[in-house]
Structures are given as structure tokens and as C-alpha cells.
Amino acid sequence: MLEYIPKYGQRLADEVRRWGEWIKREAEEELSEFYPKDPDGATPIAYLWARTIQCEGPGCGAEVPLMRSLWLAKKGDGSVALRLLPNQRSRSVAFEIIRFAKPKDVGPGTIRRGAVTCPCCSYSTPVTSVRVQLESRKGGTADALLIAVRFDDPKSGQRSWRLPNKTDLKAAAAAAEELHGRIRQNKQRLSLVPDELLPPEGTLGFRIQRYGMLRWGDLFSARQALALTTLGRLVREARIACQPDLALAVRTNLALAVDRLADFNASLCVLNSVGGRGVVHVFGRQALPIVWDFMETNPFNTEAANWQTCFDVVDEVIAFEKHYTNSGHVEKADATNHPLPDDSAIAFITDPPYYDAVPYADLSDFFYVWLRRNLPTEYPDLLANPTTAKEDECIVDVVRGKDRQCFERKMGKAMAEGRRVLQPGGIAVVVFAHKSTAGWEAQLQAMIDAGWIMTGSWPIDTERPGRLRAQDSAALASSVHIVCRPRWIPDGSDRTDEVGDWRDVLAELPRRIHEWMPRLSAEGIVGADAIFSCLGPALEIFSRYSRVEKASGEQVTLREYLEQVWAAVAKEALNMIFEGADATGFEEDARLTAMWLWTLSTGNNGNGKRKLSEDDEEIDEEEDSGKPKKITGGYVLEYDAARKIAQGLGAHLEKLSTVVEVKGDTAHLLPVSERTRFLFGKDETQSPSSKRKKKEPQLKLGFMKEIEEIEIKDGWGTKSAPRAGSTVLDRLHQSMILFAAGRSEALKRFLVEEGAGNDQRFWRLAQALSALYPKSSDEKRWVDGVLARKKGLGF
Ligand SMILES: C[S@@+](CC[C@H](N)C(=O)[O-])C[C@H]1O[C@@H](n2cnc3c(N)ncnc32)[C@H](O)[C@@H]1O
Ligand SMILES: [Zn+2]
């Protein structure tokens, strides 16, 4: 992008296309027998495979395919699913295709959270045994079971699913044989299929080693490896006949295209059944979790996830970028040891690693090991090592002994390096995103220590929409761009000795936030994005001094200041939520609830589709022993963030156990439906969360039953109304539940006779929450249902 496109522009695009097509013809011919067409001319687009285990049920031993779901395509009339046909006698499982499938026709998959339920004997083989079994088979990719084939029928123009036939199985077996022959005959310096080791078990984001995938080649089935190695060989063999430096650029792009295909053609690609869209690429998120049933694409299919799209994209990028004619210069260097001389740059723009969010170098190896094979002589320096360098990477990674202090030290050095190469009057932009306050504190500390003053901050959408899954809840839809200046004035006079007065700093903070928030809000920036986007202006006040002191002479730490910042932001946000109405009129629970929902909201910026709590539909995460179990449902925030927000509102999380549940390092705002028993029960001291622990977690809409019980017990079904709760929020939630349960008469009595509706705060809170609950949530419907009664009841 920086060197080749400005230099070669359209010529590069044309050559890449030309040679991409040449490779396609050659490879398609060479590999056609391994992707056979059907006798009627239909072509397989992709194949669905499942890893298998042997059921450990007493006397069973059935071979069980691991299927996280039986849906193949969920799109109305075109819905297709599988039905399991267990055969008790042969102890095996066959399949049947259900066309026009309705949810009631489709059973659950065989695996959930890593434990496998046998369709033959119903025994549940635990995740630990699943691991042992797959471990001995390098993850079980090589002997996975072919479950279904997605095909394209050119005659009818139809794309659909069928069961596999003998030809399919033979072709896959032949591909494996072909690959093994080629492995034996390989004369290259490096193994044909990458045999470099994955990072050690426990490495951030990696969840596949414990299933026996230890080398990068283990991530691919034989046919996938055959396709990738064939394409790679053709990239090396292409006699690209233009001037040598352009030819190098072309070959580099083609090698990158093979990498791109690897991302779509590995045994960690899941099926995306929603809308029947097929193959999901591996790096839908920046991690490598295990995938039980996987999609193998036919690289020559004409739909998607094929070789053609992998080199087409080069053309698209060039078309987009070709007006840049200023050629850049790219060099690999450690950010703590920059090749530029002092005071030489007018701008320093950096997108540093995000604390502990992504193991960049380890993940890069997925691509690097292929590049190294496909560009064997082109980049002797860049591709010298078997895998990418990890030592000097600036991230938090406990497995490698890199803790927060390490990160801060290293990041501090890198930021100081940026300061060194920048001219005194220059400007810097540091991009950062993190969902934890600790991540932010570490990054900002490093920047302040290095002598930067933050002067502004703005969130910019940097992620491709439609990611497989947003990161955890309250992940950012965007990265915050923090604008900085060296801590001295452009006229050259030094400011490094200035000491700030804590009282002045504290007095200025709320004013600054008050100015900044409406600007963000006017741009549709709300929630977590807005909170973090206030850091720039807030930190300008603090970072303009080399140190800030209290009257006692004690130095104020960044951490202490940030506590004040979160508080000021929370207060300001709350005022915006209640549109200037005095937010202090609401009790703690209402303030916290409103602020919580606001924090999780995305407004109309960003991809807007970010889910609040992830339901893991796409990937069945195995049981994770180390971490607290994921809380399902409700609205989840990092505990520390929740605590800071609460503090800013003068609320206390510990005292609010009737609305918030804390588990490990996450805090979860209880869904209204889960508060039923508390809200209508007699014993108000018993919080819903303490009850939840004793019982099975309540099912969604379990509250309908509860309402019935309570209604009968308390006898307000026909004449009276439930007793009003003690806070405005409780009363509003009660009303919402009555609405949801269809108790319209009781709701009326509750609002009018019990008097819940006489309190203006009730309606103001309802209004605010209506704007804050996610659009498609039950809560939103219910609160709107309550609001709709307002006029009619004369309020
Ligand atoms: C947030 S990513 C940058 C992503 C990039 N902007 C993009 O869009 O692809 C952070 C990068 O910093 C790199 N990095 C980590 N430690 C480094 C160091 N000590 N010196 C230079 N780069 C480093 C990581 O390898 C990673 O590629
Ligand atoms: Zn069994």
C-alpha cells in the first residue's frame, strides 16, 4: 500500500490479475480431480466436515460427529437443516437433509461447551475426554467426517445442500494420497506443509493446542493443504516477465493472496448458516478457538471464499488507493529503537498494540509460515526466522512473562522514541482501543511519562463491519484516536518543569467534559466510545504539567486522576440522558441502570449492530476452567468499569445487588424479567441474585409463571394491584412486567390506585430507559408499552 501502489498503480493491478488468472487456470486443471463435479453438472461449492470422537458411554463406543448446530441455512423458505439418524445396532450416526426446515424440526447439535452428547446412547462425554481423544489425532482434522456438501447447480441456478456421495469421499481420500506423495518428494528447503510449532499452550487467544494441533500445518485438512501448496508453488513458478522490481511486487501480492485463501481454507472456518452464506474466515476475531464442525471451500467455486476473490481484492484496493502517488518507505524496526534521527518528523502516527487484547505476533505466524514458503528468496531479511519475532513485542502476555509493568515500560520507551523523532512543533496521533480501564491506564501512563500532552480524542471506525463476533461485551466499535503534542510550546520554550495544582485541575475537569460531550453526542457518539473519547480533553488538563501536586506536596497519580475523570464523565452523561432534568432526583438504582445502558449503547455511529451480550452462536467455546463462567443474558460490563461508573454517580455496587450481579471480573445488570420475584415477592431483603444461585438459572419468560404464582398468592388478580416497590426504578420495572404478562387491568390499578404513575420521575425514567434499552430488546417493548398507557390514564 505504501510503496508499491504509489509506484506502480494500475500496472500492478493489471499484472496481478493476469498472473492470478494464469495460476487459476493451471491450478484448476491440476486439482480438478479432487473437486469432482456431480454427474448432472452441479459443482460443489463447499464441504461441511465434523471432527469425531468415540462415545465413552458404557458399552457404547459410537463414532459421534461433533456438530455445534444442525442448521445448514437459515433463510426463510430456503432453510435447510440436518437430522441425526442414530443407528443403535451399528453404533454410528447417519444424516438426513431437512428442506424448508422450521425451528421445531431441528434438534440441537451434539456438542455444547465442549461436552458431547451421544445420539445413540445419550451419554455425555465430558470435555476433558474430548480433549484427550482429539489430542491423540492432532485435532482430528485428518479423519473428520464429511457431513454435507453445498453445491451450485448451473442449470437451475440453484445453490443448495446435499448429503455426500462416494465420489466426494473418494476425491478427498485421493487428495490426501496426492499430498502425502508430494510431501515425500518435496525437495524444498522447508517442509511442504508448514511444520513450525504453534506458541505454547495457554498463549493468549489460542485454544487449539490442547486438542493436539501443535504445528501450523495441523490447521489444514489434506485437501486444503494440497490446494494451498499447489497455489504457492505456482506463485513461485510464474514467469512474470515485466521489469524485475514490478515483478517482485506482483509476486508478493500473489503470495499474499495465497495467505488470504489460507484464512478461508482452514479447518477452523465455521459455517455461517445465517442467510446461507457459507464459509466464515478464520480471523473473524483475533484469536484461534477450536472449531468442531468446519467448512472446507472449493477454491475454484464461483460463489465466494475462492482463489479468484483473493487476488481480485488487490485490484479493488488499488482502484481505491491509486491517487496516492507519494511513495512511502517501509522498514521493519522495533518501536523502541526507531531508525529516524532526532526532530526529523512532522507527524508521528501510531497504532500500538492494545495491551492484552491481541497476540499479534503469534497470530501472524498463521500467515507468515506460508509467505516464507511462497517467497523463498525475495525477502531474505524479513522472512529469515522460522516464525515471527516475539521477544520484543509490546503486549501483556502472562505465558511469556510479560506483565503490566513490562508493557508500561516498553510502551513508555516507544512513546519516548516517537517524541525523539518528532519536531518540537509536530503533532502525534496514537490510536487505542481497550475494553478495560487497566488497559487504558497503562497506555496513558506510558504516554504521559514520555512527555506527551493529549489535546483531543475522537473515535473512528476502524474495524470491518460484520465481524464474526464483536470482542467481549462493551467492546469498542471504533478505535479512539488521541491527538498529542510534545510537552513544550511550539515556540520552543520548555515546559517540562511546570507543576500543576490539584485544585485547579479538578475545577477545570467538569467544565471540559461539559464542553466535549455534546460535541460527541452531536456526532452520534455515545456509550463506551464517548467515555473513552473524553480522555483526550480530560488528560490535556493533567498532562500539560510534568507533575500535579496536592496542597500537601504529594504527587497525584494518573490512576487517581482517571478516577475523577470517569466520575465526571458519568455525571455529565447522566445529565444528558435525563436531558437536563435533575438526575439527583433519582435513586441510585435508576441512575446506575440508565448510565449502564448508556455505556453499552452504540448510538447511530459505528456498525450499530454490536451485541450487548454475546450468545456465541457461531463458535461453541469449550468449557474454560480458568475463567469465571460467562454470565448469559443481561447487560454485561467489566467489573472495574462498572465500579467506576457507579462511583461517579455516587452509587455503590455492593449495595445494589437487587439490580446488579457481580461474577469474577464481570458485572451484569439483571434483566427485568429476572427481577420478578424480588419486585413482587414479600421478602424485599432477598435479592434476585442470591436466589439465582440456589436455583437453576431462570429461563427467559420464566417470570410469566412466577407472576401467576404471586398473583394467586397475593390475590391481586382481579381487584387490587401489587404493592409498589420502594424506588422509582422498581415501580417502573413492576409496571413493565405487568405489561409483559398481559395484566393490563392490574397495570392500570398499579399506576392509578397504587399511585405509581403520580410520580413525574416515573415517566421521566420510563422515557429515558425507552431511549436506552436496545431496540430489539424485550425491555424496550415493555417500557414503551407502559409509556403508551400514560395519556389514556390521564397522567
Ligand atoms: C494495533 S496493531 C496495528 C494494526 C495496524 N494498524 C493494522 O491496521 O493492521 C499493533 C501492531 O504493533 C506491533 N508491535 C508490537 N510490538 C512492537 C514493537 N516493539 N515494535 C514495533 N511494533 C510492534 C504488533 O505486531 C502489531 O502489528
Ligand atoms: Zn454413546
Side-chain angles (χ1 to χ4, degrees):
M1 299 245 289
L2 293 171
E3 290 194 11
Y4 291 160
I5 297 179
K7 240 194 225 158
Y8 307 115
Q10 194 55 42
R11 273 198 300 157
L12 176 58
D14 295 342
E15 290 293 326
V16 170
R17 168 168 303 283
R18 185 164 150 220
W19 288 99
E21 271 160 9
W22 175 80
I23 291 172
K24 185 178 162 211
R25 284 193 300 275
E26 296 284 319
E28 197 165 4
E29 196 181 313
E30 188 176 324
L31 299 175
S32 63
E33 63 180 294
F34 306 112
Y35 301 97
K37 284 188 180 353
D38 293 349
D40 64 358
T43 333
I45 299 172
Y47 308 85
L48 178 66
W49 296 83
R51 302 175 199 283
T52 64
I53 61 147
Q54 227 182 13
C55 169
E56 297 187 359
C60 181
E63 182 186 48
V64 185
L66 311 185
M67 307 279 301
R68 104 208 107 97
S69 153
L70 297 178
W71 281 101
L72 295 173
K74 281 188 202 166
K75 49 170 186 181
D77 274 355
S79 291
V80 186
L82 289 162
R83 181 174 293 130
L84 295 167
L85 304 173
N87 185 327
Q88 308 289 354
R89 221 165 339 121
S90 67
R91 294 286 164 193
S92 62
V93 183
F95 289 91
E96 178 176 272
I97 297 239
I98 317 172
R99 299 200 189 274
F100 312 107
K102 303 258 173 339
K104 65 172 169 37
D105 311 328
V106 185
T110 57
I111 186 158
R112 212 176 137 62
R113 300 215 159 258
V116 179
T117 306
C118 176
C120 297
C121 74
S122 301
Y123 179 82
S124 176
T125 302
V127 64
T128 42
S129 309
V130 173
R131 267 181 213 149
V132 172
Q133 287 202 33
L134 291 181
E135 203 175 351
S136 64
R137 287 148 52 209
K138 294 183 183 174
T141 308
D143 56 3
L145 212 58
L146 182 55
I147 305 290
V149 180
R150 181 163 150 76
F151 66 90
D152 181 7
D153 183 354
K155 269 181 280 162
S156 63
Q158 193 202 14
R159 285 167 175 166
S160 192
W161 290 87
R162 62 169 171 78
L163 292 175
N165 55 39
K166 279 212 180 79
T167 313
D168 299 317
L169 297 175
K170 265 200 205 143
E177 205 168 304
E178 174 69 20
L179 179 75
H180 292 122
R182 291 189 188 186
I183 288 174
R184 281 193 298 275
Q185 281 161 20
N186 176 42
K187 298 229 164 49
Q188 300 278 321
R189 186 169 54 96
L190 301 176
S191 64
L192 185 72
V193 180
D195 60 355
E196 290 83 353
L197 286 171
L198 267 77
E201 196 174 323
T203 300
L204 189 64
F206 280 73
R207 293 269 212 284
I208 50 180
Q209 297 94 330
R210 51 160 89 138
Y211 295 93
M213 294 189 195
L214 301 178
R215 295 176 187 275
W216 285 104
D218 297 342
L219 275 62
F220 303 89
S221 74
R223 184 162 54 189
Q224 288 176 325
L226 181 67
L228 291 170
T229 53
T230 302
L231 291 165
R233 194 197 73 235
L234 291 166
V235 168
R236 297 196 296 272
E237 286 175 1
R239 299 221 182 116
I240 304 168
C242 43
Q243 75 210 60
D245 56 339
L246 174 57
L248 172 65
V250 175
R251 205 181 302 281
T252 305
N253 274 286
L254 293 169
L256 290 169
V258 176
D259 265 10
R260 193 175 164 90
L261 185 64
D263 189 21
F264 280 101
N265 194 32
S267 75
L268 299 180
C269 293
V270 293
L271 160 69
N272 181 351
S273 57
V274 181
R277 272 177 299 150
V279 184
V280 179
H281 68 134
V282 177
F283 286 91
R285 56 176 171 172
Q286 291 159 320
L288 291 175
I290 184 76
V291 166
W292 311 114
D293 48 331
F294 61 89
M295 284 289 272
E296 179 206 0
T297 190
N298 170 355
F300 309 107
N301 85 78
T302 51
E303 187 182 38
N306 54 29
W307 167 246
Q308 177 87 39
T309 53
C310 292
F311 65 85
D312 274 353
V313 78
V314 174
D315 212 18
E316 282 168 39
V317 171
I318 292 179
F320 196 77
E321 302 278 348
K322 67 182 170 199
H323 47 277
Y324 294 111
T325 50
N326 243 344
S327 182
H329 171 83
V330 181
E331 217 171 288
K332 182 180 84 164
D334 188 331
T336 61
N337 187 13
H338 204 283
L340 280 180
D342 295 4
D343 297 344
S344 58
I346 55 167
F348 167 62
I349 319 281
T350 181
D351 183 12
Y354 301 162
Y355 197 60
D356 64 354
V358 184
Y360 304 96
D362 284 315
L363 292 175
S364 305
D365 285 340
F366 176 94
F367 300 102
Y368 178 92
V369 293
W370 291 105
L371 269 190
R372 198 157 169 260
R373 282 164 174 75
N374 299 334
L375 298 169
T377 56
E378 284 76 0
Y379 298 93
D381 293 339
L382 285 180
L383 301 174
N385 300 323
T387 56
T388 61
K390 317 286 185 310
E391 286 301 288
D392 293 322
E393 189 179 26
C394 178
I395 55 169
V396 174
D397 178 5
V398 278
V399 176
R400 290 212 168 79
K402 296 180 182 174
D403 57 9
R404 177 180 176 155
Q405 280 73 33
C406 271
F407 176 87
E408 264 180 37
R409 221 178 306 124
K410 185 111 190 144
M411 185 57 73
K413 268 197 197 160
M415 290 297 135
E417 229 1 41
R419 180 84 177 65
R420 179 184 68 74
V421 304
L422 190 71
Q423 296 169 6
I427 191 165
V429 177
V430 178
V431 183
F432 197 69
H434 205 269
K435 66 188 162 82
S436 85
T437 47
W440 276 100
E441 280 168 14
Q443 179 64 31
L444 297 171
Q445 185 75 59
M447 289 163 67
I448 289 180
D449 291 350
W452 293 101
I453 300 183
M454 291 75 175
T455 59
S457 51
W458 209 258
I460 300 181
D461 259 348
T462 50
E463 302 304 313
R464 229 180 98 188
R467 284 178 301 168
L468 169 61
R469 166 200 146 120
Q471 293 163 33
D472 281 325
S473 39
L476 297 169
S478 48
S479 317
V480 178
H481 290 55
I482 309 166
V483 184
C484 316
R485 300 274 180 182
R487 192 186 299 126
W488 60 17
I489 323 177
D491 68 9
S493 59
D494 208 329
R495 251 199 190 175
T496 47
D497 288 335
E498 246 177 276
V499 175
D501 183 326
W502 185 222
R503 278 166 309 188
D504 296 344
V505 169
L506 281 186
E508 196 175 340
L509 175 63
R511 285 203 298 272
R512 187 56 70 85
I513 303 292
H514 184 70
E515 283 162 19
W516 196 251
M517 282 283 246
R519 273 185 74 180
L520 293 170
S521 159
E523 298 277 344
I525 300 161
V526 294
D529 280 344
I531 295 181
F532 292 124
S533 301
C534 281
L535 285 170
L539 282 163
E540 181 180 5
I541 310 167
F542 186 78
S543 60
R544 72 166 79 110
Y545 305 106
S546 61
R547 55 187 276 138
V548 175
E549 287 178 4
K550 296 184 182 165
S552 61
E554 185 195 342
Q555 182 175 358
V556 181
T557 61
L558 174 66
R559 181 179 295 222
E560 197 175 343
Y561 181 62
L562 286 175
E563 296 273 335
Q564 299 293 331
V565 175
W566 306 124
V569 170
K571 270 187 211 133
E572 187 60 36
L574 203 66
N575 280 334
M576 277 177 21
I577 294 168
F578 290 110
E579 286 167 354
D582 184 12
T584 50
F586 293 98
E587 293 100 338
E588 284 182 22
D589 57 353
R591 280 181 280 156
L592 185 72
T593 299
M595 187 58 197
W596 196 294
L597 293 171
W598 183 82
T599 304
L600 288 168
S601 64
T602 51
N604 45 21
N605 110 311
N607 52 35
K609 281 185 267 174
R610 188 188 340 154
K611 285 193 268 175
L612 296 174
S613 62
E614 298 298 332
D615 52 14
D616 259 354
E617 221 219 300
E618 301 291 354
I619 288 189
D620 178 73
E621 196 74 68
E622 74 276 35
E623 194 77 44
D624 198 348
S625 39
K627 289 195 184 146
K629 245 184 248 164
K630 230 209 203 110
I631 305 171
T632 51
Y635 306 103
V636 182
L637 280 177
E638 181 212 14
Y639 170 70
D640 195 46
R643 187 183 60 78
K644 286 183 167 137
I645 287 172
Q647 218 167 20
L649 303 174
H652 302 86
L653 273 193
E654 321 77 63
K655 288 198 210 140
L656 290 171
S657 63
T658 64
V659 284
V660 175
E661 182 179 11
V662 177
K663 249 190 195 177
D665 56 8
T666 53
H668 141 119
L669 186 72
L670 292 170
V672 175
S673 59
E674 290 187 19
R675 303 192 65 218
T676 313
R677 212 164 266 282
F678 163 76
L679 289 171
F680 295 101
K682 291 251 178 308
D683 181 6
E684 297 212 359
T685 54
Q686 195 149 32
S687 73
S689 41
S690 63
K691 286 217 163 173
R692 268 162 60 92
K693 278 181 200 110
K694 283 178 221 130
K695 296 193 310 171
E696 285 287 288
Q698 294 187 23
L699 291 173
K700 211 171 174 194
L701 294 187
F703 75 95
M704 287 288 246
K705 264 220 148 62
E706 292 184 324
I707 276 285
E708 264 164 46
E709 283 172 23
I710 295 165
E711 191 176 28
I712 292 165
K713 210 168 79 210
D714 292 3
W716 46 257
T718 49
K719 37 195 188 317
S720 63
R723 190 152 57 88
S726 59
T727 67
V728 179
L729 181 77
D730 284 352
R731 296 194 284 277
L732 180 59
H733 281 174
Q734 284 177 303
S735 309
M736 287 162 67
I737 290 173
L738 290 174
F739 171 82
R743 302 299 193 271
S744 117
E745 280 307 303
L747 174 59
K748 182 176 161 193
R749 287 194 296 273
F750 183 71
L751 293 174
V752 180
E753 288 155 33
E754 274 285 309
N758 292 331
D759 186 343
Q760 274 314 300
R761 293 177 306 167
F762 177 94
W763 299 107
R764 208 172 303 128
L765 182 63
Q767 208 75 54
L769 294 191
S770 163
L772 292 169
Y773 279 124
K775 283 212 170 53
S776 55
S777 65
D778 287 339
E779 275 101 342
K780 162 81 176 151
R781 255 186 323 110
W782 300 344
V783 78
D784 286 350
V786 175
L787 277 167
R789 301 291 298 269
K790 186 177 174 191
K791 260 220 180 104
L793 294 177
F795 291 115

